[in-house]
């Protein structure tokens, strides 16, 4: 299995939905798109074997992949869509309150450059209720960055470690994220990212505002932040039209392309594994 299939516990979520329980996810026959992007769905710079299926989130991404020469592509929807199917929203114990804010982040290979103090001032000026700042594991581990948000009076959390090279993946990453999103009325970030689309799908009102910051050696191949703002202007601003946002999120996450458990097992190469599970149960 390509190690990126494990990112954020994606393989674990798909295995649960496919009826394989909480066992370690079997090898996936293909590359699962691991985050929303404006390219062909696959992270630039990662090695991929020719003719191996690309398992993408949306029809839009499939068309972009086709346009750059990828042919063995299948739309299955985002793993988050499968999690939502397994965790339909129940009446909340408490009313949604405040905003969960996701500052743009770096990772092992690239750091973010930007002024967190200015971003904090803008958040405090804009958000009407209590704010939870969710830092990516990379910035959460930077004590100087984390303390800036803590000293501003925000609740500061981290959903967990993404995982890398098949190690230290938090299989509950998306579950933790969904739980937090459902606690909040708003979801916001300084860039349009997966978290914004997840928040919309989880019932939050979205906002995208503030300095988008700079990622060191950012790949400009697909147009970067300038293209994102041109193509999705409806999702930028401190207040966004919710019905429009819901429609866009549904398309970008591939909600209508979610497979049945049997279809998913077939696409991921797990059909025989389900039969083995049933034989053991008998």
């Amino acid at each position: 299995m390509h190690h990126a299939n494990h990112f954020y516990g994606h393989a674990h979520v798909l295995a649960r939905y496919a009826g394989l329980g909480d066992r370690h996810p079997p090898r996936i026959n293909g590359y699962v798109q691991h985050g929303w992007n404006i390219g062909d769905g696959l992270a630039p710079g990662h090695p991929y074997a020719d003719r191996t299926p690309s398992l993408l989130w949306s029809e839009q991404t499939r068309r972009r992949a086709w346009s750059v020469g990828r042919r063995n592509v299948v739309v299955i929807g985002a793993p988050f869509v499968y999690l939502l199917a397994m965790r339909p929203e129940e009446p909340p114990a408490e009313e949604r309150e405040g905003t969960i804010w996701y500052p743009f982040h770096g990772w092992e290979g690239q750091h973010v450059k930007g002024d967190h103090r200015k971003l904090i001032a803008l958040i405090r000026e804009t958000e009407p209720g209590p704010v939870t700042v969710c830092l990516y594991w990379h910035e959460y581990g930077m004590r100087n960055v984390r303390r800036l948000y803590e000293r501003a009076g925000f609740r500061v959390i981290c959903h967990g470690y993404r995982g890398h090279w098949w190690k230290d993946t938090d299989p509950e990453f998306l579950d933790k994220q969904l739980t937090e999103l459902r606690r909040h009325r708003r979801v916001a970030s300084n860039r349009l990212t997966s978290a914004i689309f997840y928040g919309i799908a989880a019932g939050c009102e979205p906002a995208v505002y503030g300095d988008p910051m700079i990622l060191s050696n950012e790949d400009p191949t697909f147009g970067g932040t300038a293209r994102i703002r041109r193509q999705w202007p409806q999702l930028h601003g401190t207040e966004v039209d919710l019905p429009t946002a819901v429609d866009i999120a549904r398309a970008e996450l591939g909600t209508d392309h979610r497979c049945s458990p049997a279809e998913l097992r077939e696409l991921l190469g797990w059909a025989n594994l389900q039969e083995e599970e049933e034989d053991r149960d008998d």
Side-chain angles (χ1 to χ4, degrees):
M1 181 191 297
H2 194 278
H3 78 108
N5 289 349
H6 269 244
F7 286 179
Y8 310 108
H10 283 172
H12 296 77
V13 169
L14 295 176
R16 281 163 49 198
Y17 178 87
L20 302 184
D22 292 325
R23 59 181 288 183
H24 185 75
R27 180 183 180 278
I28 292 175
N29 179 34
Y31 303 123
V32 178
Q33 179 180 339
H34 73 259
W36 181 79
N37 67 45
I38 59 173
D40 60 3
L42 304 179
H46 282 265
Y48 299 100
D50 290 339
R51 294 183 294 278
T52 300
S54 296
L55 305 167
L56 306 179
W57 289 11
S58 71
E59 176 60 22
Q60 297 90 318
T61 309
R62 185 201 65 77
R63 290 199 300 268
R64 290 196 298 266
W66 186 271
S67 73
V68 297
R70 297 193 185 276
R71 290 297 178 264
N72 196 357
V73 291
V74 181
V75 178
I76 65 170
F80 194 79
V81 168
Y82 292 87
L83 180 62
L84 287 172
M86 291 187 287
R87 288 184 54 186
E89 188 163 14
E90 299 176 355
E94 300 177 356
E95 289 294 321
R96 289 175 180 253
E97 183 182 34
T99 302
I100 182 165
W101 224 100
Y102 289 89
F104 183 61
H105 62 79
W107 63 289
E108 294 97 334
Q110 294 173 291
H111 293 270
V112 163
K113 299 176 182 178
D115 192 328
H116 288 280
R117 288 183 175 85
K118 285 186 178 179
L119 185 60
I120 287 168
L122 183 58
I123 294 171
R124 295 179 72 173
E125 177 184 313
T126 304
E127 295 306 323
V131 174
T132 295
V133 170
C134 183
L135 295 176
Y136 197 57
W137 64 269
H138 189 66
E139 282 73 26
Y140 190 82
M142 297 177 180
R143 189 168 181 268
N144 61 323
V145 174
R146 189 176 71 249
R147 290 292 296 276
L148 286 175
Y149 290 95
E150 290 172 342
R151 287 171 177 165
F154 301 146
R155 172 177 173 250
V156 181
I157 64 169
C158 178
H159 293 320
Y161 183 50
R162 174 204 65 199
H164 193 57
W165 295 115
W166 301 281
K167 294 181 180 179
D168 302 322
T169 298
D170 186 343
E172 300 296 319
F173 189 104
L174 288 185
D175 279 280
K176 294 175 185 176
Q177 186 167 18
L178 178 56
T179 296
E180 284 290 342
L181 287 167
R182 284 176 169 169
R183 292 180 58 179
H184 294 83
R185 186 175 64 84
R186 282 166 57 89
V187 59
S189 179
N190 49 338
R191 286 207 193 193
L192 185 58
T193 61
S194 303
I196 294 295
F197 291 113
Y198 294 168
I200 296 168
C204 298
E205 301 168 9
V208 179
Y209 63 90
D211 178 7
M213 299 188 175
I214 299 171
L215 190 63
S216 62
N217 299 315
E218 193 162 356
D219 190 331
T221 302
F222 295 104
T225 57
R227 179 190 152 199
I228 291 173
R229 288 180 177 272
R230 287 197 310 271
Q231 189 165 346
W232 292 277
Q234 312 96 316
L235 297 181
H236 289 79
T238 59
E239 299 290 338
V240 171
D241 181 69
L242 187 56
T244 299
V246 169
D247 288 343
I248 294 173
R250 190 174 188 89
E252 294 298 326
L253 294 177
T255 302
D256 296 331
H257 294 277
R258 174 169 55 87
C259 301
S260 70
E263 290 169 332
L264 188 66
R265 290 193 297 269
E266 187 68 33
L267 284 171
L268 302 188
W270 293 349
N272 293 336
L273 294 174
Q274 177 67 10
E275 294 172 2
E276 292 170 7
E277 286 280 319
E278 293 171 352
D279 289 342
R280 276 199 294 270
D281 291 341
D282 292 342

